[in-house]
Amino acid sequence: MSGPCPDAGADAGARRAEDVVIAVGNRFRRDDGVGAAVLDALRSRRADGHPVLGGVDLVELDGEATRLVDAWQGRSLAILVDAMRHAELRAGEVVELHGPEGLARPGTAVSSHSTGVAEAARLGRVLGRLPDRVVVLGVVCADLGEGPGLSDAVAAAVPEVAARVEGILAEVRSSGRVPG
Amino acid sequence: MTHRSPASRTIRVEQLARVEGEGALYLEIADGSLRDVQLNIYEPPRFFEAFLVGRAHTEPADITARICGICPVAYQMSACAAVEDACGVSVEGHLAELRRLLYCGEWIESHTLHVSMLHAPDFMGVPSAIELAEIDRPIVERALALKKAGNHLVEVIGGRAIHPVNVKVGGFHRLPRREELTAVLDEMEQARANARAVVEWVAGFDFPEVEMDYRFVASTDTGHYPVLGAGFTVDGNGRLPPESFLDEVAEYQVRHSTALHARLRTGDGYLVGPLARYALFGERLHPDAVAAAADAGLEPVVRNPFRSVIVRAVEVLHAVCCAIDLIESWRPAADAAAAVPVPPPPQRSVGHGITEAPRGLLYHRYEIDPDGAIAAARIVAPTSQNQSTIEHDLWHVAEGMLAEHDGDDSAMDDDSLRHRCEVAIRNHDPCISCSAHFLDMTVNRVGGPS
């Protein structure tokens, strides 16, 4: 193995990009790995030469609040991709939230292992460490069991989510506004 | 939610904030006297020791790292030590120094998370670090910078902040270049200043007056404040070799907990972790940390578990100072190897590894066959060793609060009791099984005033 120590947390780059796409979750908890799968798809698209993905940091995190704040602070745009539960939607459907205002939920954080995007948003707001724009793409999940691999419905959603990420990046860069 | 009845009273805490692990607390009070205290751990078993059987001897470092996301380095280091012991290999010199440096990073980030984000809110009268940031933003900013420095160090050496990928039996997959290490020195110098400030801050907290008669157990690390273990000691009575650990310590099952308890062969519970290390080897702390401990008014042996937050803060400063010294002095030869070979043993062999996780002594034992397959595995985590002591602390705390009310527990504020019990648990920074969870507290009052 040569070169810098391998870092699965962020694509190596000399400078921190203005925009970041953050996959939140665990590849080894089935559909909780949907964010990582989307990042894999984006990396493939970037390797194929998709221009909008140039200059974007792709970061994979477990969702711990302080690491999220660290990853998005100072960014112009942060797009988060995360698995979510939803009582009314089917597995594979995608919910788009615009923040930081749309990310907060009531209640106080519990253990350090259950902090996540909402707590990161609260912490970021208190510390003045929020990106200019935050978009969360929540993919409704079916299976959060142990082991790698996505359920069929969630796996089928990955290309759509990757395309949506590209669309958001393109729109923000051309108009300065998040679409929708 | 609290409701009161003539015969019994129940307090239910649906979620315990700021601990790692799943458990419930049960108090039984009869006629105003505490009858029973149980810390019920109902986290399901995770079977690491079982599924390690049959794996290659090169795999425990990566597999056991997944036991914990906050202290994966500890599992990697104890696993490597045990495998290397079984294979008759010793890792020394620049590789041992690099392991020590990697461990510094973990101590910094793990302890800082607990001290400033999980434990300090108890003493500041706020429910979480977010509310703490609302009343004193610089404190949380400082904690985040410290934690980031620790994570960064782990990332530079280990390749990744969580579950490092650069560790292997025999050493590392790749040595960092010197410039990669020196690039973190500025951050570490700032971390030194931050760590000193944290010690000063936590030393000013108000602490309940509590004195516990602990039996202390810690690794022995020749010439060092314990991190990598050459053995272990009980109450400082000589060094015992790692292979005698299971002769000195017995794990046992209790009905109310899926987590094993542990006791010395004398039958006593014991304590591992910062209080044990500090009591037994405090004089070996980095001079800056020794000075900070003195300025904080720390006694040579701390037996008040609420003051563990100061000891933990001192250990952060120690780890930062050691990291700076190690980086400045680490100059391996140009052709230095990243690892020493670790071939399987010629016959089935047993190896033992002891290192000091942030929460305390972590013991691994492996039996390895000549084909390199793991034939048996045993892991004794620090938090499981501390379970009975935590329970004992809870008993002491609850009894103390009852005594304050002269046994008339109907006048007791159950919220205060619940909070004091939660803090008593957080004093020991439990990582009950490294997953997110809840504490239910049930108080069953039998008889007593209506």
Side-chain angles (χ1 to χ4, degrees):
Chain A
M1 184 180 295
S2 61
C5 289
D7 179 9
D11 284 345
R15 289 179 314 182
R16 195 170 154 98
E18 278 200 20
D19 303 330
V20 63
V21 181
I22 303 173
V24 181
N26 184 343
R27 287 179 181 264
F28 299 102
R29 293 297 300 269
R30 301 292 183 195
D31 289 344
D32 199 38
V34 64
V38 169
L39 245 59
D40 291 342
L42 291 172
R43 288 191 184 101
S44 292
R45 290 174 183 233
R46 182 155 67 186
D48 289 343
H50 286 224
V52 75
L53 292 170
V56 177
D57 284 340
L58 304 177
V59 176
E60 194 172 327
L61 294 175
D62 60 356
E64 195 268 322
T66 61
R67 282 192 283 277
L68 274 170
V69 170
D70 215 33
W72 72 32
Q73 74 170 59
R75 309 278 191 172
S76 176
L77 169 66
I79 302 174
L80 278 61
V81 184
D82 196 2
M84 67 183 296
R85 288 194 179 102
H86 199 293
E88 294 164 11
L89 298 179
R90 293 190 308 269
E93 294 194 66
V94 181
V95 175
E96 185 168 321
L97 301 171
H98 292 183
E101 293 73 25
L103 307 182
R105 66 169 185 246
T108 299
V110 287
S111 91
S112 62
H113 285 284
S114 71
T115 61
V117 174
E119 285 73 24
R122 289 183 64 207
L123 186 63
R125 181 181 305 113
V126 169
L127 297 176
R129 293 190 188 188
L130 291 171
D132 295 339
R133 306 173 191 83
V134 179
V135 176
V136 176
L137 298 175
V139 183
V140 180
C141 60
D143 180 1
L144 292 176
E146 293 171 354
L150 305 177
S151 63
D152 289 345
V154 172
V158 169
E160 174 204 338
V161 177
R164 195 182 289 204
V165 169
E166 285 192 73
I168 293 169
L169 287 166
E171 179 66 27
V172 169
R173 286 172 182 182
S174 68
S175 71
R177 294 190 313 273
V178 175
Chain B
M1 177 184 74
T2 301
H3 60 265
R4 196 182 294 256
S5 72
S8 66
R9 197 154 124 196
T10 300
I11 301 171
R12 184 168 298 280
V13 176
E14 296 294 338
Q15 291 179 332
L16 176 66
R18 297 175 274 121
V19 293
E20 290 152 307
E22 189 168 70
L25 175 64
Y26 174 81
L27 299 179
E28 183 172 314
I29 300 171
D31 297 322
S33 295
L34 188 65
R35 177 179 292 179
D36 195 14
V37 171
Q38 295 180 7
L39 180 60
N40 302 328
I41 306 303
Y42 49 87
E43 181 71 23
R46 299 174 69 195
F47 300 123
F48 273 84
E49 292 160 317
F51 66 73
L52 279 168
V53 173
R55 307 300 301 194
H57 74 300
T58 52
E59 295 186 283
D62 286 324
I63 292 175
T64 61
R66 268 69 183 173
I67 290 175
C68 187
I70 300 291
C71 55
V73 170
Y75 282 89
Q76 293 182 319
M77 295 296 102
S78 287
C80 285
V83 170
E84 289 152 8
D85 183 44
C87 299
V89 171
S90 178
V91 173
E92 298 167 351
H94 67 284
L95 296 176
E97 289 179 6
L98 198 59
R99 283 181 168 178
R100 198 177 292 282
L101 182 56
L102 179 63
Y103 232 139
C104 286
E106 178 159 282
W107 275 34
I108 293 166
E109 60 91 0
S110 175
H111 273 358
T112 293
L113 175 68
H114 187 261
V115 167
S116 292
M117 312 289 276
L118 305 186
H119 205 188
D122 289 328
F123 301 100
M124 297 292 289
V126 292
S128 81
I130 294 175
E131 286 77 9
L132 183 60
E134 288 171 344
I135 63 172
D136 196 332
R137 180 168 151 175
I139 282 179
V140 176
E141 297 269 11
R142 182 178 63 201
L144 292 177
L146 251 178
K147 185 175 184 301
K148 185 176 177 183
N151 282 338
H152 192 190
L153 187 57
V154 172
E155 192 171 13
V156 167
I157 300 168
R160 192 165 64 187
I162 308 302
H163 302 144
V165 294
N166 195 33
V167 173
K168 59 183 280 188
V169 285
F172 298 86
H173 291 284
R174 174 189 170 273
L175 295 181
R177 292 187 299 276
R178 178 162 171 73
E179 55 267 29
E180 289 174 305
L181 289 180
T182 56
V184 306
L185 275 176
D186 283 349
E187 190 176 15
M188 281 295 150
E189 284 297 346
Q190 182 58 51
R192 183 172 7 213
N194 285 340
R196 275 202 198 99
V198 172
V199 175
E200 192 176 323
W201 170 51
V202 300
F205 289 165
D206 288 328
F207 300 104
E209 292 292 331
V210 174
E211 187 85 356
M212 302 301 294
D213 186 20
Y214 294 127
R215 303 287 306 272
F216 292 125
V217 175
S219 307
T220 56
D221 189 357
T222 308
H224 296 278
Y225 191 78
V227 174
L228 302 177
F232 68 104
T233 184
V234 179
D235 293 327
N237 295 321
R239 173 191 166 272
L240 297 164
E243 56 265 30
S244 71
F245 183 76
L246 294 178
D247 297 326
E248 296 296 320
V249 165
E251 289 187 294
Y252 60 99
Q253 185 79 54
V254 297
R255 288 189 67 178
H256 59 271
S257 176
T258 57
L260 295 174
H261 284 214
R263 60 186 167 211
L264 299 171
R265 57 185 172 85
T266 56
D268 299 324
Y270 63 95
L271 188 67
V272 299
L275 293 187
R277 291 190 290 256
Y278 180 75
L280 299 176
F281 299 104
E283 75 283 358
R284 294 185 185 179
L285 285 165
H286 189 282
D288 284 10
V290 171
D295 291 343
L298 270 186
E299 52 276 35
V301 178
V302 176
R303 294 188 176 278
N304 182 344
F306 293 88
R307 289 168 68 77
S308 63
V309 66
I310 310 177
V311 178
R312 226 168 251 111
V314 167
E315 286 195 337
V316 172
L317 177 58
H318 167 79
V320 171
C321 294
C322 288
I324 292 171
D325 290 350
L326 282 165
I327 291 171
E328 289 179 339
S329 65
W330 194 74
R331 286 183 169 79
D335 60 348
V340 296
V342 185
Q347 61 272 331
R348 177 178 286 196
S349 297
V350 179
H352 311 263
I354 288 181
T355 69
E356 286 287 327
R359 290 164 185 79
L361 188 153
L362 171 61
Y363 168 81
H364 284 219
R365 176 189 184 278
Y366 300 109
E367 291 183 25
I368 301 177
D369 281 334
D371 64 355
I374 305 287
R378 183 81 178 267
I379 298 168
V380 183
T383 297
S384 72
Q385 294 172 75
N386 282 347
Q387 285 304 296
S388 62
T389 298
I390 293 174
E391 219 168 65
H392 188 62
D393 278 12
L394 285 167
W395 189 290
H396 185 94
V397 161
E399 273 194 329
M401 292 191 78
L402 283 170
E404 287 175 13
H405 291 84
D406 292 326
D408 181 8
D409 66 288
S410 66
M412 186 184 302
D413 174 1
D414 280 346
D415 283 344
S416 296
L417 175 62
R418 171 190 53 76
H419 182 256
R420 184 66 65 89
C421 287
E422 291 177 12
V423 180
I425 294 169
R426 281 193 283 274
N427 285 339
H428 297 290
D429 185 15
C431 190
I432 293 173
S433 57
C434 310
S435 348
H437 315 95
F438 301 79
L439 179 71
D440 286 335
M441 184 172 86
T442 302
V443 179
N444 185 23
R445 285 181 165 78
V446 179
S450 60

